[in-house]
Amino acid sequence: MCLPVVPGQEPKGVSLFQPRCSNGAQVSSWPRFDSLGDLVANSRWARYFLSVYGELPMARDFPVCTFDFWSIDKPKLDAAGITTPSPVRKRVQPRYNERRFNWTDGELFGRYHEDNPQFYHGFAIYHSDRPYVKHNQWVEVTHHRATNTRGTADEASGRGANMWFTYTPGSGVWYWTGRTGLFDSHDAAARALCHNVTSAKWLRTALIDDGFLSVCARRAGFDTIAFRSSRMKIQNKSCELHDLVRCPAIVTTSGTVATMGMVGMLELFAPRLAGRWSCGQRASGGKPLARFLVLIHGWSGSCRYFDSTIDAIAARTGGTVYAYDLRFHGRSDKPSWGFHVHRLAADLHDFLTELQIQQPVVVGTSLGCAIIWAFIELYGDDMLHKCVFVDQAPSQWIFSDWSFGSKGIYDPASLAKIQGALFAGMDSFAKGNAECCLSHTLPGPLMELLAQETLRCDPEHLARLMADHAPRDWRPVLRRVSRPCLNLYGTDSGCFPVEGTRAVGELIPDCENVPFDGCNHWLYLEAPERFAQLVGDFALRASS
């Protein structure tokens, strides 16, 4: 399990400022603070802590040695006026070709991906001491890479998937090690874990293929594999990266001296992680200052409908924003059962529970609103922090006491009409659906993406799901919502009259109504900047 830490929601036994002062002293120009008074007296570092973590350490966290953070937010370090002990060195890891030089504890360097230097891992402080992890321990990490390679789940079928991390205190992203194995190298792990397989080819493949190694590690019952060293090659030469500190210099065929390595970083291999939520997206806005946010798309859409807003929301909140494909939509499974809003609400509950997303701000668009309302009806709203609803009426159906339902699906006859349009052809349905939900012209590539995502759906699945969704009346549930809510609606919605969407904010006790003048049902696509600003500011706003 890997999750960012929100102030006040730290995993058991963990604070934002652990572990600290492993060496017990100040190193280079990285200061040590023995009390909150010491830190506040150094206003620059106090400013850095506030900007990165959103709070200052508590009394229990001291002493704090900044040298032990490893991961440093360099732009915010500069903004706080803190001078680094030496010029930042660029470090491409693990492949690296340049003249060897000595490293000194406390030097700040930039870390880049081995195959693509544009894939940047941030800034780290050099440590000569080899780090160490053990069973069932929370450790801070940065993502190195995820792989889903040609490895198979057994010798006949399936796929292997995994995640690679680098041990990086100060990153603000915590990983639970579980049952941990420590090996001298990748080769040693493959030979130890895959020794009893029936195929020699399997073992040979495990030495070079992460997927096969992950299968062997899972069979052996490990949640994490840590490596003391790595074996890598430069120009057909190889060397052992002892203690993951520095590799002995080697002379290449051209006569130049080359070095390579992880520079004091411990590599961690998680054979059970990748692929468990492969249909989801995750955008990190750096150190989490706000709550988690979960974006829930509407009927016939997908998580890709949030492509133009998810990163902006993450950047504005400083937290982590998730978007996932609903059952029957996008890249998620499309089973032959479960065509009920409450089944989708149970899926949301499973999603939050599995990823341990605590107290999120949930954002529902269209059907996504009904999923949140069904979630509250089933589980209450104690698991949620705040709710945002986007252009959905309390009921699409028209009743004797409710005349503000959907403009197009409001009784059995109109439901049958939209179901007929689905079966008549998904291409024409996707085009008509966009014409109904948009008042503004969107860029051609975006329009093509929206259509492609709709075409991933099965018309029978959509028809059966709408038959459950449209007749429901959520007005009794809305009156019971106790969380702060924000209700956004388009004044030019092709799906609902303004009186219907505005009623959501009028029925919920603590809800703010915000109209999007001139916008339609997909207002988050028509006004993405305003949408991201409103959602981000609402998420950060202190509850009354």
Side-chain angles (χ1 to χ4, degrees):
M1 177 174 53
C2 184
L3 71 163
V5 177
V6 176
Q9 297 183 22
E10 297 87 348
K12 184 177 180 181
V14 162
S15 82
L16 289 172
F17 305 96
Q18 282 188 333
R20 305 296 171 237
C21 292
S22 58
N23 65 336
Q26 176 177 323
V27 175
S28 187
S29 64
W30 302 103
R32 167 184 172 130
F33 302 106
D34 291 305
S35 67
L36 182 59
D38 286 346
L39 177 60
V40 172
N42 189 318
S43 59
R44 293 180 179 180
W45 272 101
R47 191 180 309 127
Y48 174 81
F49 280 127
L50 285 172
S51 64
V52 172
Y53 295 97
E55 63 180 27
L56 295 176
M58 300 178 66
R60 70 187 184 204
D61 299 316
F62 289 94
V64 170
C65 290
T66 57
F67 170 72
D68 280 344
F69 275 72
W70 293 44
S71 177
I72 289 293
D73 191 320
K74 184 62 164 54
K76 291 183 178 179
L77 198 75
D78 294 340
I82 299 172
T83 303
T84 58
S86 63
V88 175
R89 297 190 182 188
K90 181 177 179 179
R91 189 65 161 171
V92 179
Q93 57 179 26
R95 299 191 183 99
Y96 181 70
N97 285 280
E98 69 173 76
R99 292 197 175 276
R100 183 183 180 185
F101 46 78
N102 293 323
W103 287 85
T104 303
D105 277 349
E107 283 191 295
L108 192 65
F109 63 93
R111 297 188 292 128
Y112 298 79
H113 190 271
E114 59 181 293
D115 296 316
N116 181 8
Q118 300 303 314
F119 190 79
Y120 180 56
H121 279 267
F123 294 89
I125 303 172
Y126 176 72
H127 293 70
S128 59
D129 292 335
R130 177 174 58 82
Y132 163 68
V133 297
K134 55 187 178 182
H135 294 304
N136 299 319
Q137 179 184 17
W138 284 105
V139 293
E140 283 176 290
V141 297
T142 52
H143 290 83
H144 178 38
R145 60 191 171 98
T147 51
N148 194 353
T149 62
R150 61 184 179 274
T152 55
D154 53 47
E155 294 188 51
S157 62
R159 292 184 67 81
N162 49 71
M163 182 72 75
W164 292 83
F165 297 109
T166 301
Y167 173 82
T168 316
S171 69
V173 176
W174 291 83
Y175 169 67
W176 179 253
T177 60
R179 186 167 183 262
T180 303
L182 183 63
F183 295 90
D184 288 334
S185 65
H186 295 183
D187 285 6
R191 295 182 187 281
L193 298 175
C194 301
H195 70 280
N196 60 345
V197 296
T198 58
S199 169
K201 180 181 177 182
W202 175 279
L203 177 56
R204 288 196 302 270
T205 308
L207 296 176
I208 60 173
D209 190 314
D210 297 345
F212 278 75
L213 179 58
S214 69
V215 172
C216 295
R218 290 198 299 269
R219 284 177 174 176
F222 287 113
D223 301 299
T224 301
I225 301 296
F227 303 99
R228 292 192 181 96
S229 62
S230 297
R231 184 168 63 85
M232 292 160 283
K233 296 181 178 180
I234 294 181
Q235 298 184 6
N236 298 321
K237 301 287 184 177
S238 65
C239 66
E240 287 290 335
L241 217 162
H242 296 290
D243 291 336
L244 294 177
V245 176
R246 60 169 65 89
C247 184
I250 58 175
V251 179
T252 66
T253 54
S254 62
T256 59
V257 177
T259 62
M260 57 187 177
M262 300 291 284
V263 195
M265 294 298 181
L266 179 67
E267 192 175 32
L268 302 175
F269 176 56
R272 302 180 187 273
L273 282 186
R276 297 182 70 179
W277 292 101
S278 58
C279 63
Q281 298 179 9
R282 180 175 182 272
S284 175
K287 305 301 184 294
L289 306 180
R291 306 278 179 172
F292 298 119
L293 291 92
V294 178
L295 310 182
I296 309 169
H297 67 80
W299 181 73
S300 77
S302 80
C303 63
R304 296 298 305 277
Y305 277 47
F306 299 114
D307 278 5
S308 58
T309 55
I310 186 170
D311 288 326
I313 295 172
R316 192 165 192 90
T317 61
T320 298
V321 186
Y322 294 89
Y324 67 98
D325 288 336
L326 300 176
R327 179 188 296 249
F328 315 121
H329 294 74
R331 295 153 190 80
S332 282
D333 289 346
K334 299 171 177 61
S336 59
W337 57 278
F339 303 99
H340 307 284
V341 178
H342 286 84
R343 175 62 258 181
L344 302 186
D347 290 342
L348 172 61
H349 183 272
D350 291 344
F351 182 80
L352 299 179
T353 302
E354 179 72 16
L355 296 185
Q356 294 200 358
I357 302 173
Q358 301 176 2
Q359 291 290 299
V361 176
V362 287
V363 181
T365 63
S366 193
L367 171 64
C369 299
I371 292 171
I372 297 172
W373 299 334
F375 180 98
I376 293 173
E377 187 171 52
L378 289 172
Y379 308 106
D381 57 12
D382 289 345
M383 291 179 64
L384 309 178
H385 180 53
K386 295 180 180 179
C387 305
V388 179
F389 306 115
V390 182
D391 209 69
Q392 175 69 36
S395 179
Q396 300 201 173
W397 233 233
I398 291 178
F399 303 104
S400 59
D401 63 342
W402 176 254
S403 58
F404 303 123
S406 169
K407 292 180 179 181
I409 311 172
Y410 49 82
D411 62 13
S414 57
L415 173 62
K417 183 178 180 180
I418 195 67
Q419 290 174 325
L422 288 166
F423 291 114
M426 285 295 288
D427 287 311
S428 58
F429 167 76
K431 180 180 179 181
N433 193 42
E435 291 174 351
C436 173
C437 297
L438 290 169
S439 298
H440 300 268
T441 302
L442 301 182
L446 177 55
M447 291 296 296
E448 183 178 350
L449 171 66
L450 301 179
Q452 290 174 348
E453 293 303 295
T454 297
L455 294 177
R456 293 181 182 274
C457 300
D458 183 289
E460 180 180 354
H461 294 171
L462 292 180
R464 295 178 66 180
L465 183 58
M466 181 56 73
D468 180 79
H469 168 48
R472 294 191 176 276
D473 184 358
W474 299 104
R475 287 178 291 173
V477 177
L478 298 185
R479 297 185 181 99
R480 295 173 47 218
V481 177
S482 64
R483 296 302 184 184
C485 297
L486 178 67
N487 184 46
L488 311 177
Y489 56 92
T491 60
D492 194 26
S493 175
C495 296
F496 299 100
V498 170
E499 295 86 349
T501 51
R502 188 172 57 210
V504 171
E506 295 169 348
L507 288 168
I508 296 175
D510 183 6
C511 187
E512 178 185 359
N513 269 331
V514 178
F516 275 57
D517 292 334
C519 286
N520 205 316
H521 190 57
W522 292 344
L523 59 87
Y524 50 93
L525 292 168
E526 295 180 311
E529 295 85 3
R530 187 185 180 207
F531 177 80
Q533 176 184 354
L534 285 169
V535 171
D537 291 350
F538 175 70
L540 291 171
R541 188 187 310 163
S543 302
S544 57

